[in-house]
Amino acid sequence: MKLYGSITSPFVRRIRFICSEMGIPFTLVDTMTEAGQKELRDKNPLWKVPYVEIDDVKIWDSHTIIDYLFETKGSGNFRPKSGPHHYREANLQTAIDQALDNAILIFYLNKEGIKPDAAPYLTKNALRISSILNYIKQELNGNFFFTDGKVGLSEIALYTTLDWIRFRSVLPVEEDPIFAGFLNFHGQNKSWKETAPK
């Protein structure tokens, strides 16, 4: 498997974490290099990561990549996608991804000197992150979203999102005791340590 992306991307990190946990070998093409970026743009019309090539299969969305891995390799020790929890977990992932997308936007605009209060749309985006994070805190049962005590796609999405927000200093999520507890609990995992952004 050839995985295109950067070690700082939270979406790429989800794939790297799953591969690490399930023992799936891959080669990382660093798209932060000029050669890696050129190869990505030549092959992927979205110019986005993660992008994978697995034999003749080419996939350029993290959710679809994970679907493919679970369908072809099984779900290992992760909570499977099917079951009565599926739609709730899908809603959680959608909410978390929306918060992450908005946080990424704020991060890059801030680098350009544009603050969230520069336009009503940006202010709304910042407020949406707070709304989602408050909802997520209410949905967490300790360190998991479900009572099975298994890591599933919603926990993976939340960990990568919170850790990226912390890494990029977008919001002080580590000051919230619920999120700090979640990060500390899951952060002991060897695969999370090995895939940490640098």
Side-chain angles (χ1 to χ4, degrees):
M1 181 171 108
K2 202 171 184 181
L3 171 63
Y4 291 76
S6 69
I7 59 170
T8 55
S9 164
F11 292 106
V12 173
R13 189 180 185 193
R14 295 175 189 182
I15 310 303
R16 292 169 57 225
F17 173 76
I18 288 172
C19 287
S20 175
E21 287 288 289
M22 294 178 62
I24 301 170
F26 67 91
T27 301
L28 180 68
V29 177
D30 185 357
T31 55
M32 296 301 286
T33 67
E34 187 177 334
Q37 188 60 214
K38 182 182 183 313
E39 192 175 343
L40 173 73
R41 293 185 180 204
D42 287 345
K43 295 181 173 187
N44 180 348
L46 278 64
W47 296 4
K48 290 176 68 176
V49 296
Y51 164 64
V52 299
E53 294 177 346
I54 308 167
D55 299 322
D56 294 330
V57 178
K58 297 170 175 47
I59 310 171
W60 50 60
D61 171 74
S62 60
H63 292 280
T64 311
I65 294 167
I66 293 168
D67 285 348
Y68 182 87
L69 293 177
F70 277 20
E71 286 171 15
T72 58
K73 307 292 184 184
S75 56
N77 292 323
F78 295 115
R79 183 185 309 117
K81 283 195 68 170
S82 60
H85 64 275
H86 172 68
Y87 294 106
R88 177 171 176 246
E89 186 148 58
N91 280 344
L92 288 164
Q93 282 185 268
T94 299
I96 294 164
D97 285 353
Q98 182 68 65
L100 178 56
D101 285 341
N102 287 356
I104 290 170
L105 176 65
I106 287 172
F107 170 73
Y108 281 109
L109 289 176
N110 191 49
K111 283 180 73 172
E112 299 293 328
I114 302 169
K115 300 299 180 189
D117 59 358
Y121 173 75
L122 299 178
T123 302
K124 182 179 178 182
N125 274 352
L127 292 172
R128 184 182 286 132
I129 296 173
S130 296
S131 172
I132 292 169
L133 292 181
N134 285 334
Y135 159 74
I136 291 302
K137 283 194 291 186
Q138 294 168 13
E139 292 295 306
L140 272 171
N141 296 312
N143 296 308
F144 301 93
F145 285 106
F146 298 88
T147 56
D148 60 7
K150 281 191 168 220
V151 170
L153 300 181
S154 50
E155 286 85 6
I156 293 170
L158 182 59
Y159 189 88
T160 53
T161 296
L162 292 177
D163 205 32
W164 184 87
I165 288 173
R166 174 174 62 179
F167 172 68
R168 293 299 194 189
S169 302
V170 176
L171 292 168
V173 290
E174 69 279 3
E175 294 178 11
D176 184 287
I178 293 174
F179 289 147
F182 179 89
L183 285 165
N184 290 335
F185 178 85
H186 291 283
Q188 303 308 308
N189 179 291
K190 183 173 177 276
S191 296
W192 281 133
K193 290 179 180 178
E194 290 175 349
T195 60
K198 298 170 185 172

